[in-house]
Amino acid sequence: MADRTPWLTIVGIGEDGFAALPPVSQAALANATLIVGATRQLALLPTLAGETQAWPVPFEAGVAHLLERRGTPVVMLASGDPFWFGAGGTLARHLPPDEWVAHPAPSTFAHAAARLGWRIEETLCLGLHAAPLTRLRPHLAPGTRAIVLLRDGAAVVATARYLDEQGFGASRLTVLEALGGARERIRSAVAAALPFDDIAHPVALAVEIAGDGRVLSRASGVADDWFAHDGQLTKRPARALTLSALAPRAGETLWDIGAGSGSIAIEWLLSHPATEAIAFERDAVRSARIRENADTLGVDRLIVVHGDALSMFADRPPPDAVFIGGGLSDALLDALFARLPPGTRLVANAVTLESEALLARCHAARGGHLLRIDLSEAAPIGTRRGWRTAYPLVQWSVTL
């Protein structure tokens, strides 16, 4: 394009409509040849010269059509702040920064905090319009406050039911409908006895977590019974040492090879919301179980790949760290060392004598750190107690 003046304006609009918009947003709407947005948002506008079109569902379906109007003045309406669980971030991925400009309005989170008197920096803010409610699971702890954007009234009811099922039915819920507009309504109840059946869209839910439900530890090495498994599980103490060696950092990606129950990849993802992970598992039943475990613990972003890792990772971008929990072999290690760039962290665990010997050879040839982990637990012996020893685990960790 010869003219790099922004052709797309992303306008954040609240329930108070056109009249409450700043002059720069009103001018953009007045000069647009096309205005796109949700039907509810378009209804907040007066009669304008530009053509109006409702944005399709799913959201991505409208992007290509929008790009066809490239070079003509277009306004995209978004709720509140377009870059806080809004459309702005999605659209900006498709355009260079000099082709668009955004005029945000107060976000739903800002409106909700102002009504409740909550500090936003101390409040969990989540957008669950099209995401599973299980994303709440890692955050469920008494005293936690959260503001959650939800799709509709049915989603509010489902959230209350989910909290109750998890043992947090005593949580206080504040249902915030159409904040900032003439239809604004605010009502409160406890999750276990939510009485409302007429909740209107758009809606946010403020949650004050209370109850005696189980709280997920934020330390590495959560209890084994959080994971469904068939025995193929890196046990809690060894898992904590493994994650310490993998050293997850924000924005990094893990490959979990021979993932078993997925516990390593899941805890990697629980360490920070900006982490990513791929679990490779050749067994179909275990692959399905990994998916179930990830969804249950609120990290549905885990990618589960069913198949042999050697044939599946060739075309994928390289990870920052690799864990080998199953399928350890010379062929796998040779392929990884040929494929992975310098700086990649690799951790492999071995239980059998053959795998232990392999790691000993790798340590001698390539360096790194070799650790033998011997664990014993107290267990009954008749009327007394003794130490029940687990198979020793050998762990090799190395930075390529």
Side-chain angles (χ1 to χ4, degrees):
M1 288 174 53
D3 180 7
R4 304 299 285 183
T5 301
W7 60 271
L8 175 64
T9 303
I10 307 170
V11 171
I13 188 169
E15 293 301 302
D16 42 6
F18 181 85
L21 292 175
V24 65
S25 296
Q26 292 185 357
L29 285 161
N31 295 324
T33 60
L34 173 66
I35 303 166
V36 292
T39 302
R40 173 184 58 81
Q41 295 163 340
L42 295 172
L44 298 172
L45 301 179
T47 300
L48 297 168
E51 175 190 0
T52 60
Q53 289 183 4
W55 195 271
V57 177
F59 183 87
E60 288 286 349
V63 174
H65 177 65
L66 183 71
L67 295 179
E68 292 175 359
R69 302 294 289 260
R70 200 173 197 160
T72 61
V74 176
V75 168
M76 168 69 193
L77 296 177
S79 295
D81 186 339
F83 290 90
W84 203 348
F85 297 107
T90 302
L91 292 175
R93 288 200 300 267
H94 296 275
L95 293 168
D98 55 356
E99 291 193 29
W100 59 269
V101 64
H103 304 307
S107 68
T108 301
F109 299 113
H111 279 298
R115 303 299 187 277
L116 298 165
W118 292 2
R119 289 179 179 268
I120 295 182
E121 72 271 17
E122 297 175 356
T123 302
L124 175 67
C125 296
L126 291 174
L128 300 183
H129 311 80
L133 295 176
T134 51
R135 288 194 185 177
L136 283 167
R137 193 61 189 86
H139 309 288
L140 296 183
T144 298
R145 284 177 167 178
I147 299 172
V148 185
L149 308 184
L150 293 168
R151 182 179 58 255
D152 52 26
V156 174
V157 174
T159 303
R161 185 184 310 117
Y162 176 73
L163 290 169
D164 193 28
E165 290 169 351
Q166 298 299 312
F168 297 99
S171 299
R172 181 173 178 81
L173 307 183
T174 301
V175 182
L176 306 120
E177 303 162 71
L179 289 177
R183 297 186 299 116
E184 178 176 307
R185 181 168 58 173
I186 300 174
R187 296 175 289 175
S188 296
V190 296
L194 189 73
F196 314 129
D197 59 3
D198 59 345
I199 300 170
H201 175 76
V203 61
L205 186 66
V207 186
E208 298 173 86
I209 302 296
D212 56 4
R214 194 176 185 192
V215 177
L216 184 64
S217 170
R218 304 314 294 261
S220 296
V222 303
D224 294 342
D225 60 1
W226 281 101
F227 304 99
H229 62 90
D230 58 2
Q232 188 73 14
L233 173 75
T234 303
K235 299 300 193 294
R236 181 185 61 80
R239 194 179 336 117
L241 290 168
T242 300
L243 286 157
S244 176
L246 287 168
R249 303 164 192 167
E252 290 190 331
T253 298
L254 170 75
W255 285 358
D256 183 354
I257 298 175
S261 66
S263 62
I264 295 292
I266 289 169
E267 287 216 48
W268 171 280
L269 294 174
L270 286 170
S271 70
H272 194 278
T275 51
E276 297 180 354
I278 303 174
F280 296 92
E281 175 53 57
R282 68 180 67 186
D283 184 274
V285 174
R286 287 175 178 166
S287 295
R289 190 179 292 120
I290 293 169
R291 176 79 276 147
E292 177 187 347
N293 283 334
D295 292 347
T296 298
L297 291 175
V299 288
D300 55 283
R301 68 186 188 277
L302 175 63
I303 298 171
V304 181
V305 176
H306 171 222
D308 180 68
L310 271 172
S311 62
M312 302 297 288
F313 64 58
D315 297 326
R316 296 180 180 274
D320 301 281
V322 175
F323 171 63
I324 305 174
L328 181 64
S329 67
D330 283 304
L332 176 60
L333 288 171
D334 289 343
L336 287 171
F337 273 90
R339 171 81 172 82
L340 300 176
T344 305
R345 305 186 298 282
L346 185 146
V347 177
N349 288 352
V351 176
T352 67
L353 292 175
E354 292 79 6
S355 295
E356 182 178 333
L358 171 57
L359 294 188
R361 294 197 306 271
C362 290
H363 177 250
R366 299 183 182 273
H369 184 67
L370 198 63
L371 176 70
R372 180 182 169 96
I373 305 168
D374 289 286
L375 298 171
S376 299
E377 290 185 274
I381 300 179
T383 59
R384 302 196 174 194
R385 292 173 299 146
W387 292 110
R388 181 175 59 198
T389 304
Y391 287 116
L393 180 73
V394 172
Q395 181 181 97
W396 178 50
S397 56
V398 66
T399 299
L400 276 61

